[in-house]
Structure formats: C-alpha cells, structure tokens
Amino acid sequence: MRTDRTFTMLKPDSVEKGHIGAILEKINAAGFRIVALKETQMTTADAQAFYAVHNERPFFGELVEYMTRGPIVAAILEKDNAVEDFRTLIGATNPADAAEGTIRKLYAASIGENAVHGSDSDENAAIEGAFHFSGREMF
Ligand code: IDP
Ligand code: MG
C-alpha cells in the first residue's frame, strides 16, 4: 500500500464561492504534487456510495444533498506522508475547531459545509481516487 498519495474534493460550497484557485494554491504551497484533477458533479448514487460508511448517521441525507448540489473539484495529491499531512492542512471537520491557517478555518462555513474532503487512510485514498479517476487520468 503506497503512503505518498491522498484524495481530495473541493466541495460544492468551495466551487460556488470561487475558492478553487485559492485552495489549490494552498495545496501547492504545502508541497503536494497534483497527480489527477477535474471538475465534476456527483449524482445522488455517487454520493451515497462515496459516503456509504456514514449511511446510518443522522446527517447522511443532508450530506448527500450538499455534495450533489453543484460541481466539485476532485484531485489525487502526492507527497510523503500524504494522508496525514493533508488532514493537517485541511484542519478539523468542524471549522470552529480547526487550527488557524488551515483550509477549513479559512474557507469552511460549518461542520456540514466544510469546503474540502481529505482521505482518512492510505487504503481509502486509493479507493476514493479510483472512484473518480481512471488510470489514464493519473499522471
Ligand atoms: P471528515 O470529512 O473530516 O473526514 P467525517 O466524519 O468523515 O469528516 O464526515 C464526512 C463529512 O460529513 C464531513 O466532512 C461533513 O461534510 C459531513 N458531516 C460530518 N459531521 C457532520 C454533522 O455533524 N453534521 C452535518 N454534516 C456532517
Ligand atoms: Mg472522513
């Protein structure tokens, strides 16, 4: 299992607010190389599958609604210790708890609309990257 890749999505709120460029710049400045990148929109079935681990949670319906309401930017990122370092860069799930300078502190509105996704393990990074990208889209 490789440890130098993670997967991210700039969620619909980030795209709506025009934050794609600013967030990609933060990612770049933190030393991540972009392996794959695209703007796309998830269907309801896509979001239900992507977040299946949360399907018993009370916020699941709201999460699927949010993640499908507009386009996202999906990306695979490469750096040593990618998963952990990217979670540090984005900050806590709830922006109220996120450290100063983190992407969620800067750009997230709430625990629900929190600007970005970051994989939580090397295994999930590989699964989530493959969910959005074919091998021909990874460089
Ligand atoms: P993470 O994105 O920091 O890994 P998870 O617990 O995996 O956080 O939750 C996935 C996503 O579900 C969050 O990023 C957020 O968009 C949403 N979410 C998590 N907790 C809540 C909540 O309490 N209310 C509404 N939405 C939530
Ligand atoms: Mg998570």
Side-chain angles (χ1 to χ4, degrees):
M1 177 68 56
R2 61 189 303 167
T3 60
D4 63 343
R5 285 191 179 180
T6 191
F7 171 78
T8 188
M9 294 182 286
L10 314 193
K11 297 181 176 182
D13 53 324
S14 293
V15 177
E16 288 159 8
K17 293 173 183 170
H19 292 155
I20 296 173
I23 294 173
L24 289 179
E25 180 55 35
K26 291 276 295 177
I27 291 170
N28 201 36
F32 290 88
R33 186 179 78 78
I34 293 174
V35 172
L37 181 73
K38 71 178 160 198
E39 187 163 357
T40 183
Q41 185 161 358
M42 289 202 282
T43 65
T44 297
D46 288 337
Q48 286 171 339
F50 188 92
Y51 283 111
V53 66
H54 294 306
N55 65 11
E56 303 287 313
R57 309 283 286 276
F59 58 81
F60 185 66
E62 182 189 328
L63 175 60
V64 170
E65 193 71 23
Y66 161 50
M67 290 302 299
T68 58
R69 77 177 185 215
I72 60 160
V73 172
I76 297 172
L77 307 172
E78 193 170 274
K79 181 185 184 297
D80 286 349
N81 201 37
V83 166
E84 190 184 350
D85 286 2
F86 192 71
R87 296 286 304 200
T88 301
L89 179 67
I90 67 177
T93 306
N94 187 345
D97 302 329
E100 285 304 323
T102 59
I103 292 173
R104 282 171 167 165
K105 185 69 172 187
L106 289 166
Y107 299 112
S110 67
I111 190 170
E113 302 209 1
N114 60 2
V116 282
H117 170 81
S119 303
D120 63 5
S121 67
D122 294 327
E123 184 185 12
N124 284 336
I127 292 168
E128 292 170 0
F131 186 94
H132 282 276
F133 295 101
S134 71
R136 291 178 60 191
E137 297 174 300
M138 301 178 194
F139 298 93

